[in-house]
Amino acid sequence: MGYDTGDDSMVGLLGRVTGTIGPGLVGEVIVRIRGGAEHFLAYPAMAKDRIETGTVVTVVEYLPPRTVYVTPAYDS
């Protein structure tokens, strides 16, 4: 999306949605990182997507300090 965060360590990590993500919604995901699990605000990588609670997602962009853009990790 054109942002230079200087920290790509989050990109490619898997997480689980803990608050529905979608148009007009700021969702939440939990990601295992730095020896623990941390919560991040989350938006869909594709603006019109809706990603339900419990879905496994992949982080595709990280905006420090606590925001990620995600996409579903697996197609059903």
Side-chain angles (χ1 to χ4, degrees):
M1 300 189 108
Y3 299 101
D4 182 10
T5 63
D7 181 1
D8 292 331
S9 63
M10 293 282 300
V11 174
L13 293 181
L14 296 179
R16 185 169 304 273
V17 177
T18 56
T20 301
I21 301 166
L25 300 173
V26 178
E28 184 181 66
V29 297
I30 189 167
V31 178
R32 293 198 180 279
I33 186 169
R34 296 185 276 270
E38 298 183 20
H39 289 266
F40 293 85
L41 299 177
Y43 294 92
M46 300 295 291
K48 294 182 181 182
D49 284 354
R50 181 178 177 94
I51 307 171
E52 299 295 332
T53 299
T55 304
V56 175
V57 293
T58 301
V59 175
V60 296
E61 185 171 354
Y62 169 57
L63 301 177
R66 310 239 27 108
T67 302
V68 293
Y69 284 78
V70 298
T71 188
Y74 310 107
D75 289 327
S76 302

Coordinates of all heavy atoms in Angstrom, one line a residue:
M1 N 0.8 -1.2 0.0 CA 0.0 0.0 0.0 C 0.8 1.3 0.0 O 0.4 2.3 0.2 CB -1.0 0.0 1.2 CG -1.9 -1.2 1.2 SD -3.1 -1.0 2.4 CE -4.5 -0.7 1.4
G2 N 2.1 1.1 -0.1 CA 3.0 2.2 -0.3 C 3.6 2.8 0.9 O 4.3 3.8 0.9
Y3 N 3.3 2.3 2.1 CA 3.9 2.8 3.3 C 5.2 2.2 3.6 O 5.4 1.0 3.4 CB 3.0 2.4 4.5 CG 1.6 3.0 4.4 CD1 0.5 2.2 4.0 CD2 1.4 4.3 4.7 CE1 -0.8 2.7 4.0 CE2 0.1 4.9 4.6 CZ -1.0 4.0 4.3 OH -2.2 4.6 4.2
D4 N 6.2 3.0 4.0 CA 7.5 2.5 4.4 C 7.6 2.4 5.9 O 7.8 3.4 6.5 CB 8.6 3.4 3.8 CG 10.0 2.8 4.1 OD1 10.1 1.7 4.6 OD2 11.0 3.6 3.9
T5 N 7.4 1.2 6.4 CA 7.4 1.1 7.9 C 8.8 0.9 8.5 O 9.0 1.1 9.7 CB 6.5 -0.1 8.3 OG1 7.0 -1.3 7.8 CG2 5.1 0.1 7.8
G6 N 9.7 0.4 7.6 CA 11.0 0.1 8.1 C 11.1 -1.1 9.0 O 12.1 -1.5 9.5
D7 N 10.0 -1.9 9.1 CA 9.9 -3.1 9.9 C 9.0 -4.1 9.2 O 7.8 -4.0 9.3 CB 9.5 -2.8 11.3 CG 9.4 -4.0 12.2 OD1 9.8 -5.1 11.7 OD2 9.1 -3.9 13.3
D8 N 9.6 -5.0 8.5 CA 8.8 -6.0 7.8 C 8.7 -7.3 8.6 O 8.2 -8.3 8.1 CB 9.5 -6.4 6.4 CG 9.4 -5.2 5.5 OD1 8.4 -4.4 5.6 OD2 10.2 -5.0 4.6
S9 N 9.1 -7.3 9.9 CA 9.1 -8.5 10.7 C 7.7 -9.1 10.8 O 7.5 -10.3 11.1 CB 9.7 -8.3 12.0 OG 8.9 -7.3 12.8
M10 N 6.6 -8.3 10.7 CA 5.3 -8.8 10.9 C 4.7 -9.4 9.6 O 3.9 -10.3 9.7 CB 4.4 -7.6 11.3 CG 4.6 -7.0 12.6 SD 3.9 -8.0 13.9 CE 2.2 -8.0 13.5
V11 N 5.2 -8.9 8.5 CA 4.6 -9.4 7.2 C 4.9 -10.9 7.0 O 6.0 -11.4 7.2 CB 5.2 -8.6 6.0 CG1 4.8 -9.1 4.7 CG2 4.8 -7.1 6.2
G12 N 3.8 -11.6 6.7 CA 3.9 -13.0 6.5 C 3.5 -13.8 7.7 O 3.3 -15.0 7.6
L13 N 3.4 -13.2 8.9 CA 3.0 -13.9 10.1 C 1.5 -14.3 10.0 O 0.7 -13.6 9.4 CB 3.3 -13.1 11.3 CG 4.7 -12.8 11.7 CD1 4.8 -12.0 13.0 CD2 5.5 -14.2 11.8
L14 N 1.1 -15.4 10.7 CA -0.2 -15.8 10.8 C -0.9 -15.2 12.1 O -0.2 -15.1 13.1 CB -0.4 -17.3 10.8 CG 0.1 -18.0 9.5 CD1 -0.1 -19.5 9.7 CD2 -0.7 -17.5 8.3
G15 N -2.1 -15.0 12.0 CA -2.9 -14.5 13.2 C -4.3 -15.1 13.1 O -4.7 -15.7 12.2
R16 N -5.0 -14.8 14.2 CA -6.4 -15.3 14.3 C -7.3 -14.0 14.6 O -7.0 -13.3 15.5 CB -6.6 -16.3 15.3 CG -8.0 -16.9 15.3 CD -8.2 -18.1 16.2 NE -7.3 -19.2 15.8 CZ -7.5 -20.1 14.9 NH1 -8.6 -20.1 14.2 NH2 -6.6 -21.1 14.6
V17 N -8.4 -13.9 13.8 CA -9.3 -12.8 14.0 C -10.0 -12.9 15.3 O -10.6 -14.0 15.6 CB -10.3 -12.7 12.8 CG1 -11.3 -11.5 13.1 CG2 -9.5 -12.5 11.5
T18 N -10.0 -11.9 16.2 CA -10.7 -11.9 17.5 C -11.8 -10.9 17.5 O -12.6 -10.8 18.4 CB -9.7 -11.6 18.6 OG1 -9.0 -10.4 18.4 CG2 -8.7 -12.8 18.8
G19 N -11.9 -10.1 16.4 CA -12.9 -9.1 16.3 C -13.2 -8.9 14.8 O -12.2 -8.6 14.0
T20 N -14.4 -9.1 14.3 CA -14.7 -9.1 12.9 C -14.1 -7.9 12.1 O -14.1 -6.8 12.6 CB -16.2 -9.1 12.6 OG1 -16.8 -10.3 13.3 CG2 -16.5 -9.1 11.2
I21 N -13.5 -8.2 11.0 CA -12.8 -7.2 10.1 C -13.7 -7.0 8.9 O -14.1 -8.0 8.3 CB -11.4 -7.7 9.7 CG1 -10.5 -8.0 10.9 CG2 -10.7 -6.7 8.8 CD1 -9.3 -8.8 10.6
G22 N -13.9 -5.7 8.5 CA -14.6 -5.5 7.3 C -14.8 -4.0 7.0 O -14.3 -3.2 7.7
P23 N -15.5 -3.8 5.9 CA -15.8 -2.4 5.5 C -16.5 -1.6 6.7 O -17.5 -2.1 7.2 CB -16.7 -2.5 4.3 CG -16.5 -3.9 3.8 CD -16.1 -4.7 5.0
G24 N -16.0 -0.5 7.0 CA -16.5 0.3 8.1 C -16.3 -0.3 9.5 O -16.8 0.3 10.5
L25 N -15.5 -1.3 9.6 CA -15.2 -1.9 10.9 C -13.7 -1.9 11.1 O -12.9 -2.2 10.2 CB -15.6 -3.4 10.9 CG -17.1 -3.7 10.8 CD1 -17.3 -5.2 10.7 CD2 -17.9 -3.1 11.9
V26 N -13.3 -1.6 12.3 CA -11.9 -1.8 12.7 C -11.9 -3.1 13.5 O -12.4 -3.2 14.6 CB -11.4 -0.7 13.6 CG1 -9.9 -0.9 14.0 CG2 -11.4 0.7 12.9
G27 N -11.3 -4.1 12.9 CA -11.2 -5.4 13.6 C -10.0 -5.6 14.4 O -9.3 -4.6 14.7
E28 N -9.9 -6.8 14.9 CA -8.7 -7.1 15.8 C -8.2 -8.5 15.5 O -9.0 -9.4 15.2 CB -9.1 -7.0 17.3 CG -8.0 -7.2 18.2 CD -8.5 -7.2 19.7 OE1 -9.2 -8.1 20.1 OE2 -8.1 -6.2 20.4
V29 N -6.9 -8.7 15.5 CA -6.3 -10.0 15.4 C -5.3 -10.2 16.5 O -4.7 -9.2 17.0 CB -5.6 -10.2 14.0 CG1 -6.6 -10.1 12.9 CG2 -4.4 -9.2 13.8
I30 N -5.0 -11.5 16.8 CA -4.0 -11.8 17.7 C -2.9 -12.5 16.9 O -3.2 -13.4 16.1 CB -4.5 -12.6 18.9 CG1 -3.4 -12.8 20.0 CG2 -5.1 -14.0 18.5 CD1 -3.9 -13.3 21.3
V31 N -1.6 -12.1 17.1 CA -0.5 -12.6 16.3 C 0.6 -13.1 17.3 O 0.9 -12.4 18.3 CB 0.1 -11.6 15.4 CG1 1.3 -12.1 14.6 CG2 -1.0 -11.1 14.4
R32 N 1.1 -14.2 17.1 CA 2.2 -14.7 17.9 C 3.5 -14.1 17.4 O 3.9 -14.3 16.2 CB 2.4 -16.2 17.9 CG 1.2 -16.9 18.6 CD 1.5 -18.3 18.9 NE 0.4 -19.0 19.5 CZ 0.1 -18.9 20.8 NH1 0.9 -18.1 21.6 NH2 -0.9 -19.5 21.4
I33 N 4.2 -13.3 18.3 CA 5.4 -12.6 17.9 C 6.2 -12.2 19.1 O 5.6 -12.1 20.2 CB 5.0 -11.3 17.1 CG1 6.3 -10.6 16.6 CG2 4.2 -10.3 18.0 CD1 6.0 -9.5 15.6
R34 N 7.5 -12.1 19.0 CA 8.4 -11.8 20.1 C 8.2 -12.7 21.3 O 8.2 -12.2 22.4 CB 8.2 -10.3 20.5 CG 8.6 -9.3 19.4 CD 8.5 -7.9 19.8 NE 7.2 -7.3 19.7 CZ 6.7 -6.7 18.6 NH1 7.4 -6.6 17.5 NH2 5.4 -6.2 18.7
G35 N 8.0 -14.0 21.1 CA 7.9 -14.9 22.2 C 6.5 -14.9 22.9 O 6.4 -15.5 24.0
G36 N 5.6 -14.2 22.4 CA 4.2 -14.1 23.0 C 3.2 -13.9 22.0 O 3.4 -14.2 20.8
A37 N 2.0 -13.5 22.4 CA 0.9 -13.2 21.5 C 0.5 -11.8 21.8 O 0.3 -11.4 22.9 CB -0.2 -14.2 21.8
E38 N 0.3 -11.0 20.7 CA -0.1 -9.6 20.9 C -1.3 -9.3 20.0 O -1.5 -9.9 18.9 CB 1.1 -8.7 20.4 CG 2.3 -8.9 21.3 CD 3.4 -7.9 20.9 OE1 3.1 -6.9 20.2 OE2 4.6 -8.2 21.3
H39 N -2.1 -8.4 20.4 CA -3.3 -7.9 19.7 C -3.0 -6.7 18.8 O -2.2 -5.8 19.3 CB -4.4 -7.6 20.7 CG -5.0 -8.7 21.3 ND1 -6.2 -9.4 20.9 CD2 -4.7 -9.4 22.5 CE1 -6.4 -10.4 21.7 NE2 -5.6 -10.4 22.6
F40 N -3.6 -6.7 17.6 CA -3.4 -5.6 16.7 C -4.7 -5.1 16.1 O -5.6 -6.0 15.9 CB -2.4 -6.0 15.6 CG -1.0 -6.3 16.0 CD1 -0.7 -7.5 16.5 CD2 -0.1 -5.3 15.9 CE1 0.6 -7.8 16.9 CE2 1.2 -5.5 16.3 CZ 1.6 -6.8 16.8
L41 N -4.9 -3.9 15.9 CA -6.0 -3.4 15.1 C -5.8 -3.9 13.7 O -4.7 -4.0 13.2 CB -6.1 -1.9 15.1 CG -6.2 -1.2 16.5 CD1 -6.2 0.3 16.3 CD2 -7.5 -1.6 17.1
A42 N -6.9 -4.3 13.0 CA -6.8 -4.9 11.7 C -7.8 -4.4 10.7 O -9.0 -4.2 11.1 CB -7.0 -6.5 11.9
Y43 N -7.3 -4.3 9.5 CA -8.2 -4.0 8.4 C -8.0 -5.0 7.3 O -6.9 -5.6 7.2 CB -7.7 -2.6 7.8 CG -7.9 -1.5 8.7 CD1 -6.9 -1.0 9.6 CD2 -9.1 -0.8 8.7 CE1 -7.1 0.0 10.5 CE2 -9.4 0.3 9.6 CZ -8.4 0.7 10.5 OH -8.6 1.7 11.3
P44 N -9.0 -5.2 6.4 CA -8.8 -6.2 5.3 C -7.9 -5.6 4.2 O -7.9 -4.4 3.9 CB -10.2 -6.4 4.8 CG -10.9 -5.1 5.1 CD -10.3 -4.6 6.4
A45 N -7.0 -6.4 3.7 CA -6.1 -6.0 2.6 C -7.0 -5.6 1.4 O -6.6 -4.7 0.7 CB -5.2 -7.1 2.2
M46 N -8.1 -6.3 1.1 CA -9.0 -5.9 0.1 C -10.2 -5.2 0.7 O -10.9 -5.8 1.5 CB -9.5 -7.2 -0.7 CG -8.4 -8.0 -1.3 SD -7.5 -7.1 -2.6 CE -8.8 -7.1 -3.8
A47 N -10.3 -3.9 0.5 CA -11.2 -3.1 1.2 C -12.6 -3.6 1.4 O -13.3 -3.3 2.4 CB -11.2 -1.7 0.6
K48 N -13.1 -4.3 0.5 CA -14.5 -4.8 0.5 C -14.7 -6.1 1.2 O -15.8 -6.6 1.5 CB -15.1 -4.9 -0.9 CG -15.3 -3.6 -1.6 CD -15.9 -3.7 -2.9 CE -16.0 -2.3 -3.5 NZ -16.6 -2.3 -4.8
D49 N -13.6 -6.8 1.6 CA -13.6 -8.1 2.3 C -14.2 -8.0 3.7 O -13.9 -7.0 4.4 CB -12.3 -8.8 2.3 CG -11.8 -9.3 1.0 OD1 -12.7 -9.3 0.1 OD2 -10.7 -9.8 0.9
R50 N -14.9 -9.0 4.1 CA -15.3 -9.1 5.5 C -14.7 -10.4 6.0 O -14.9 -11.5 5.4 CB -16.8 -9.2 5.6 CG -17.3 -9.3 7.0 CD -18.9 -9.3 7.0 NE -19.4 -9.5 8.4 CZ -19.7 -8.5 9.2 NH1 -19.6 -7.3 8.8 NH2 -20.1 -8.8 10.4
I51 N -14.0 -10.4 7.1 CA -13.3 -11.5 7.7 C -13.8 -11.8 9.1 O -13.7 -10.9 10.0 CB -11.8 -11.3 7.7 CG1 -11.3 -10.9 6.3 CG2 -11.1 -12.6 8.2 CD1 -9.8 -10.5 6.2
E52 N -14.4 -12.9 9.3 CA -15.1 -13.2 10.5 C -14.2 -13.7 11.7 O -13.1 -14.2 11.4 CB -16.2 -14.3 10.3 CG -17.3 -13.9 9.3 CD -18.1 -12.8 9.7 OE1 -18.3 -12.6 11.0 OE2 -18.7 -12.1 8.9
T53 N -14.7 -13.5 12.9 CA -13.9 -14.0 14.1 C -13.6 -15.4 13.9 O -14.4 -16.2 13.5 CB -14.8 -13.8 15.3 OG1 -15.1 -12.4 15.4 CG2 -14.1 -14.2 16.6
G54 N -12.4 -15.8 14.3 CA -11.9 -17.2 14.3 C -11.1 -17.5 13.0 O -10.4 -18.5 13.0
T55 N -11.2 -16.7 12.0 CA -10.5 -16.9 10.7 C -9.0 -16.8 10.9 O -8.5 -15.8 11.5 CB -11.0 -16.0 9.6 OG1 -12.4 -16.1 9.5 CG2 -10.3 -16.2 8.3
V56 N -8.2 -17.7 10.3 CA -6.8 -17.6 10.3 C -6.4 -16.6 9.2 O -6.9 -16.8 8.0 CB -6.1 -18.9 10.2 CG1 -4.6 -18.8 10.0 CG2 -6.4 -19.8 11.3
V57 N -5.6 -15.6 9.5 CA -5.2 -14.6 8.5 C -3.7 -14.5 8.4 O -2.9 -14.9 9.3 CB -5.8 -13.3 8.8 CG1 -7.3 -13.3 8.7 CG2 -5.4 -12.8 10.2
T58 N -3.2 -13.9 7.2 CA -1.8 -13.6 7.0 C -1.7 -12.1 7.0 O -2.4 -11.4 6.4 CB -1.3 -14.2 5.7 OG1 -1.5 -15.6 5.6 CG2 0.1 -13.8 5.4
V59 N -0.7 -11.6 7.7 CA -0.4 -10.2 7.8 C 0.3 -9.8 6.4 O 1.3 -10.4 6.1 CB 0.6 -9.8 8.9 CG1 1.0 -8.3 8.9 CG2 -0.1 -10.1 10.3
V60 N -0.2 -8.9 5.7 CA 0.4 -8.5 4.4 C 1.0 -7.1 4.5 O 1.8 -6.7 3.7 CB -0.6 -8.5 3.3 CG1 -1.1 -10.0 3.0 CG2 -1.8 -7.6 3.5
E61 N 0.6 -6.3 5.6 CA 1.2 -5.0 5.8 C 1.1 -4.7 7.3 O 0.2 -5.0 7.9 CB 0.5 -3.9 5.0 CG 1.2 -2.6 5.1 CD 0.6 -1.6 4.1 OE1 -0.2 -2.0 3.2 OE2 1.0 -0.4 4.1
Y62 N 2.2 -4.0 7.7 CA 2.2 -3.6 9.2 C 2.5 -2.1 9.2 O 3.4 -1.6 8.6 CB 3.4 -4.4 9.8 CG 3.8 -3.9 11.2 CD1 2.8 -3.8 12.2 CD2 5.1 -3.5 11.5 CE1 3.2 -3.4 13.5 CE2 5.4 -3.1 12.8 CZ 4.5 -3.0 13.8 OH 4.8 -2.6 15.0
L63 N 1.6 -1.4 10.0 CA 1.8 0.0 10.3 C 2.0 0.2 11.8 O 1.1 0.1 12.5 CB 0.6 0.8 9.8 CG 0.2 0.7 8.3 CD1 -1.1 1.4 8.1 CD2 1.3 1.2 7.5
P64 N 3.2 0.5 12.2 CA 3.5 0.6 13.6 C 2.7 1.8 14.2 O 2.3 2.7 13.5 CB 5.0 1.0 13.6 CG 5.6 0.5 12.3 CD 4.4 0.7 11.3
P65 N 2.3 1.6 15.4 CA 2.8 0.6 16.3 C 1.9 -0.6 16.4 O 2.3 -1.7 16.7 CB 2.9 1.3 17.7 CG 1.7 2.3 17.7 CD 1.7 2.7 16.2
R66 N 0.6 -0.5 16.1 CA -0.3 -1.6 16.4 C -1.4 -1.9 15.3 O -2.5 -2.3 15.6 CB -1.1 -1.4 17.7 CG -0.1 -1.0 18.8 CD 0.0 -1.9 20.0 NE -0.4 -3.2 20.0 CZ 0.5 -4.2 20.1 NH1 1.8 -4.0 20.1 NH2 0.1 -5.5 20.2
T67 N -1.1 -1.6 14.0 CA -2.1 -1.8 13.0 C -1.5 -2.7 11.9 O -0.4 -2.6 11.5 CB -2.5 -0.5 12.4 OG1 -3.0 0.4 13.4 CG2 -3.5 -0.6 11.3
V68 N -2.4 -3.7 11.4 CA -2.1 -4.6 10.4 C -3.2 -4.6 9.3 O -4.3 -4.4 9.6 CB -1.8 -6.0 10.9 CG1 -0.5 -6.0 11.8 CG2 -3.0 -6.6 11.7
Y69 N -2.8 -5.0 8.1 CA -3.7 -5.3 7.0 C -3.5 -6.8 6.8 O -2.4 -7.3 6.7 CB -3.4 -4.5 5.8 CG -3.8 -3.1 5.9 CD1 -3.1 -2.1 6.6 CD2 -5.0 -2.7 5.3 CE1 -3.5 -0.8 6.7 CE2 -5.4 -1.3 5.4 CZ -4.7 -0.4 6.1 OH -5.1 0.9 6.2
V70 N -4.7 -7.5 6.7 CA -4.6 -8.9 6.6 C -5.5 -9.5 5.5 O -6.4 -8.8 5.0 CB -5.1 -9.6 7.9 CG1 -4.1 -9.2 9.1 CG2 -6.5 -9.2 8.3
T71 N -5.2 -10.7 5.1 CA -6.0 -11.5 4.2 C -6.2 -12.9 4.7 O -5.3 -13.4 5.5 CB -5.2 -11.5 2.8 OG1 -6.1 -12.0 1.8 CG2 -3.9 -12.2 2.8
P72 N -7.3 -13.6 4.4 CA -7.4 -14.9 4.9 C -6.3 -15.8 4.4 O -5.8 -15.7 3.3 CB -8.7 -15.4 4.2 CG -9.5 -14.1 4.0 CD -8.4 -13.1 3.6
A73 N -5.8 -16.6 5.4 CA -4.6 -17.4 5.1 C -4.9 -18.6 4.2 O -4.0 -19.1 3.5 CB -4.0 -17.9 6.4
Y74 N -6.1 -19.1 4.3 CA -6.5 -20.3 3.5 C -7.8 -20.1 2.8 O -8.7 -19.5 3.3 CB -6.6 -21.5 4.5 CG -5.5 -21.7 5.4 CD1 -5.6 -21.4 6.8 CD2 -4.3 -22.1 5.0 CE1 -4.6 -21.5 7.7 CE2 -3.2 -22.3 5.9 CZ -3.4 -22.0 7.2 OH -2.3 -22.1 8.1
D75 N -7.8 -20.6 1.6 CA -9.1 -20.5 0.8 C -9.9 -21.8 1.1 O -9.3 -22.9 1.2 CB -8.8 -20.5 -0.7 CG -8.3 -19.1 -1.1 OD1 -8.6 -18.1 -0.5 OD2 -7.5 -19.1 -2.1
S76 N -11.2 -21.6 1.3 CA -12.1 -22.7 1.7 C -12.5 -23.4 0.4 O -12.7 -22.9 -0.6 CB -13.3 -22.2 2.4 OG -12.9 -21.5 3.6

